[in-house]
């Protein structure tokens, strides 16, 4: 199940296992990822540390996507650049 797979991936991440993961579950990405990329239309729009990209996105498209997904993911609110 997805629950047991997430638990195993979480354990591997804590052990320092390198891995690539594609997900729309931003809370899980925030928890286990060092590096996160936002893709749109098959192109990388923005890439950065999980904490930075998910809480301080620079690109408007990334901010728009995250504004729809973060509130339900339990991730701190976005800091919108001035």
């Amino acid at each position: 199940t997805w629950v047991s797979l997430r638990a195993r991936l979480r354990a591997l991440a804590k052990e320092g296992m390198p891995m690539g993961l594609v997900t729309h579950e931003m809370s899980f990405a925030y928890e286990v990822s060092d590096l996160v990329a936002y893709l749109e239309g098959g192109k990388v729009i923005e890439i950065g540390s999980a904490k930075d990209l998910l809480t301080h996105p620079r690109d408007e498209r990334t901010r728009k996507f995250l504004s729809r997904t973060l509130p339900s993911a339990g991730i701190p609110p976005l800091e919108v650049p001035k």
Side-chain angles (χ1 to χ4, degrees), residues 23-33 36-38 53-54 65-66 69-70 73 75:
T23 185
H24 286 100
E25 292 199 26
M26 296 298 99
S27 59
F28 186 64
Y30 186 78
E31 180 184 348
V32 301
S33 300
V36 172
Y38 173 68
L53 190 133
L54 295 175
F65 170 75
L66 293 175
T69 60
L70 292 184
I75 297 172

Side-chain angles (χ1 to χ4, degrees), residues 26 30 36-38 45-70 75-82:
M26 296 298 99
Y30 186 78
V36 172
Y38 173 68
I45 303 301
E46 189 168 350
I47 191 166
S49 75
K51 182 178 180 182
D52 287 345
L53 190 133
L54 295 175
T55 61
H56 304 84
R58 292 169 293 180
D59 190 277
E60 180 60 33
R61 293 167 288 184
T62 308
R63 284 194 296 273
K64 186 175 179 181
F65 170 75
L66 293 175
S67 71
R68 294 188 312 261
T69 60
L70 292 184
I75 297 172
L78 297 177
E79 290 184 17
V80 178
K82 295 177 182 175

Side-chain angles (χ1 to χ4, degrees), residues 1-12 19 21 28:
T1 68
W2 177 234
V3 172
S4 61
L5 178 59
R6 277 193 332 215
R8 182 66 184 134
L9 291 172
R10 191 175 289 116
L12 289 171
M19 65 179 103
L21 177 69
F28 186 64

